Amino acid sequence: MPDSYSTSTASNTTTAADVADIAELRRVAVYLAETAAAHVRSRRPEVFGPGTRAADSVQAKSTPTDPVTVVDTEAEQLIRKLLDELRPDDRIIGEEGGGALNGDAVHWVLDPIDGTVNFLYGIPAYAVSVAAMRGGRSLAGAVADVAHGTVYSAGLGQGAHLIQPGVDPIPLRCNEVDSAAMSLVATGFAYNRHRRTRQGQLIAELLPHIRDIRRVGAAALDLCMVAEGRVDAHYEHGLNLWDWAAGALIAAEAGARLILPAPESSGAEGALVVAAAPGVADEMFGLLEELGATDAIPEG
């Protein structure tokens, strides 16, 4: 089974300076996510409103069904520009602009639009995800739910919160569910045909053991939904670092237990990501292992 990860408190060796640093990284992450989300929200009707779609507004990436839009690119460029101004010594890893983990510097891990297909079709489930990592560990993160104008955020050892306009931040906690049979589980599917086939088989094998399945189409939001108690678990194969770096921290700080791949691994390797409410984590992990779901599903 992949390595598990769970945290609701920072290391016992955390200093006051560390706490302040994490709080500042969290503040910056929220600012970046909110700013980029506002751009994405304003640009969608301009680019994809009735009669407005330009021929070059969407391109294919890994497969013809895996799109990237001009707004994805714009949003990442905006975040990179802001980071150059705010934290010029930090490094950046973005879904569209690339980058790699290297050394002990703070790395900002960006997904300018997680749920691009939803964005393209106008389904209100897409997000901007921003995480600050050091040494392969997420220190702070923010996931902005673009369509609903809300932001999930967390700092290592500082809890997870939902930020809504005009309301004090709301602390997030996982559901107190204690049975896999009563658990609502979120998942997602790859664009790669080989992996999708195996994922479909796993759904069929898992479904008799749980309450039901939800497929939202944005892994960062799925992980935040575990934190908020809107689902009880999320699992998916083949996520990239920018898909889970912020959402996994938010889920963990809300009490979830996680299985995560090595941060340097690529989505092509097909490793498993799981986040589960603490009362069902052992049972869910065991069930996934029994079904063979903890094995990676590399692209075929």
Side-chain angles (χ1 to χ4, degrees):
M1 182 182 292
D3 292 338
S4 61
Y5 167 85
S6 176
T7 181
S8 59
T9 58
S11 166
N12 291 334
T13 60
T14 300
T15 66
D18 293 329
V19 171
D21 186 40
I22 290 170
E24 174 61 13
L25 292 172
R26 184 180 186 178
R27 184 194 68 78
V28 173
V30 170
Y31 169 70
L32 296 172
E34 287 180 332
T35 303
H39 177 81
V40 172
R41 195 161 41 244
S42 67
R43 284 287 281 151
R44 192 184 185 283
E46 296 173 356
V47 179
F48 297 111
T52 61
R53 184 179 298 185
D56 59 351
S57 61
V58 183
Q59 298 180 359
K61 294 198 295 184
S62 62
T63 73
T65 57
D66 179 12
V68 58
T69 74
V70 63
V71 185
D72 291 77
T73 304
E74 290 174 358
E76 182 166 322
Q77 288 174 343
L78 172 60
I79 297 172
R80 286 176 178 269
K81 178 177 181 294
L82 292 172
L83 281 170
D84 283 344
E85 297 170 357
L86 294 170
R87 297 186 63 92
D89 294 330
D90 294 348
R91 298 178 181 177
I92 302 174
I93 301 170
E95 179 176 12
E96 311 308 335
L101 293 172
N102 184 15
D104 293 328
V106 171
H107 289 66
W108 292 90
V109 183
L110 317 175
D111 193 339
I113 304 179
D114 183 45
T116 299
V117 172
N118 289 344
F119 173 73
L120 185 62
Y121 277 78
I123 298 170
Y126 46 92
V128 177
S129 178
V130 178
M133 302 187 77
R134 182 187 288 127
R137 188 175 185 84
S138 294
L139 301 179
V143 174
D145 182 337
V146 178
H148 296 97
T150 58
V151 180
Y152 301 89
S153 80
L156 182 63
Q158 299 181 9
H161 295 80
L162 175 64
I163 303 169
Q164 299 173 302
V167 178
D168 289 340
I170 300 169
L172 298 176
R173 295 302 299 174
C174 297
N175 279 335
E176 295 184 0
V177 62
D178 60 4
S179 167
M182 296 301 294
S183 296
L184 186 62
V185 179
T187 192
F189 304 111
Y191 295 104
N192 176 268
R193 183 174 181 177
H194 167 76
R195 185 180 292 156
R196 287 171 70 89
T197 300
R198 177 58 180 145
Q199 287 172 323
Q201 294 168 345
L202 287 172
I203 284 284
E205 295 168 1
L206 179 63
L207 196 54
H209 302 280
I210 60 176
R211 180 193 288 270
D212 208 348
I213 287 285
R214 292 293 181 268
R215 196 281 199 258
V216 172
L221 287 179
D222 283 344
L223 290 163
C224 292
M225 287 168 62
V226 175
E228 194 176 7
R230 291 194 174 193
V231 296
D232 302 303
H234 165 76
Y235 81 96
E236 189 167 349
H237 293 84
L239 296 179
N240 286 291
L241 180 62
W242 46 79
D243 297 310
W244 59 260
L249 178 65
I250 292 165
E253 286 293 324
R257 291 176 53 200
L258 287 88
I259 296 172
L260 296 176
E264 64 271 11
S265 67
S266 72
E269 297 172 39
L272 177 67
V273 169
V274 187
V280 294
D282 285 338
E283 187 180 3
M284 193 67 65
F285 294 169
L287 179 58
L288 291 171
E289 186 168 25
E290 179 182 337
L291 297 176
T294 52
D295 296 334
I297 310 176
E299 292 181 352

